[in-house]
Amino acid sequence: MPTYKSSMPRHRDALIQTLQDRSIVSINARVTDISKRHLQTVLAGLGLPTTEAADEGPPEEKLFLKSNLNYGGRAERLLAQEVRDYFGIATPHKLTPEFSTYRVAERQHVQPIAYNLADVFVERFIANKDDQFYRAFVLFDAVVLSRIVADGVIKKALDAKQREDCFLTFSEESTGFPSAPDDLTRRIMVDVASFCKAFGLEMGAVDVLTDDKNVPYIIDANSTAWGGENCDRPGFLDHLRSGLQGVRTQ
């Protein structure tokens, strides 16, 4: 899915209003920018921890060089030029890394141009000794928060060595998520709930990394996240489907 969707489909706002007038729910209607930089701007506005790196800092600090575009701009690269022109989608800058070429480097080895290209995103490298991360699968009120242990610089649910699913709902937010199994899970859910409301995410996935002090950092959100690996997980789809209950247009 392209990163910037305000012009997809054409006359997007008018279409959404027409659907709403007919009591048809438009999922993720407010999600028009899933770039890394916009995500971190939303987090900063909420007072949540952010990862965007400055060009000045400890020379040995590890930074993560990735694309500002969703999945390295793969969707933008695959579109024919006439399609990009029709929707007003820019071609990724030639120096923008593809997903498979994301890398970690010390600040002293990062070229200054990396901080000045709109399509390149440089963030502080967040990791923990347990190689764990969290992925929140969201469908309106329902959330499956998975704690996943996986090797590699880029953590993927498909590469999980261990995984635990926790079934929660955003309706618990007002009481502090009492059904969460521990304080870290509760803190992550509070952050994810605030973020999804501000970002407009009603369906999709949110990735959260923790450092060794158990500080959670939201590092990615995707409104079209792949989830085929979840189909056979006990209770997973049933719980997410429950999030559709009571959904109404505003």
Side-chain angles (χ1 to χ4, degrees), residues 46-239:
L46 294 169
L48 298 178
T50 61
T51 62
E52 188 165 6
D55 57 352
E56 296 183 358
E60 299 82 14
E61 183 178 13
K62 289 184 178 180
L63 304 180
F64 201 2
L65 280 76
K66 55 175 67 172
S67 169
N68 186 48
L69 304 174
N70 179 46
Y71 203 73
R74 184 173 185 269
E76 286 85 351
R77 299 175 199 271
L78 290 175
L79 292 174
Q81 186 61 54
E82 58 266 28
V83 176
R84 286 198 292 265
D85 291 342
Y86 181 78
F87 288 110
I89 298 173
T91 304
H93 190 280
K94 62 182 180 180
L95 296 181
T96 304
E98 298 188 34
F99 187 75
S100 61
T101 61
Y102 288 1
R103 66 186 181 91
V104 176
E106 293 183 350
R107 179 179 274 104
Q108 61 190 333
H109 299 309
V110 177
Q111 297 298 316
I113 191 175
Y115 300 96
N116 298 319
L117 294 177
D119 289 346
V120 176
F121 187 72
V122 184
E123 70 178 9
R124 292 180 295 115
F125 181 60
I126 308 299
N128 58 77
K129 62 181 177 4
D130 297 320
D131 280 331
Q132 71 178 13
F133 77 103
Y134 292 79
R135 169 164 286 187
F137 298 90
V138 174
L139 184 56
F140 289 97
D141 185 54
V143 183
V144 179
L145 183 65
S146 299
R147 187 185 74 85
I148 300 168
V149 177
D151 295 328
V153 172
I154 300 177
K155 305 295 186 186
K156 298 180 181 179
L158 286 171
D159 298 332
K161 296 192 298 184
Q162 299 177 31
R163 178 169 167 180
E164 301 168 0
D165 295 334
C166 185
F167 299 153
L168 299 157
T169 63
F170 283 142
S171 59
E172 295 182 63
E173 181 184 12
S174 61
T175 53
F177 295 103
S179 67
D182 52 58
D183 289 341
L184 178 57
T185 301
R186 274 186 283 275
R187 178 172 178 181
I188 290 172
M189 283 300 300
V190 168
D191 290 358
V192 169
S194 297
F195 170 76
C196 285
K197 282 189 288 188
F199 199 72
L201 189 73
E202 297 161 329
M203 181 179 73
V206 179
D207 287 345
V208 183
L209 282 170
T210 58
D211 61 17
D212 282 325
K213 295 181 180 179
N214 276 340
V215 176
Y217 294 83
I218 294 176
I219 52 97
D220 200 11
N222 198 320
S223 56
T224 55
W226 164 253
E229 76 279 4
N230 301 309
C231 292
D232 295 328
R233 298 192 66 79
F236 189 99
L237 294 181
D238 286 340
H239 181 69

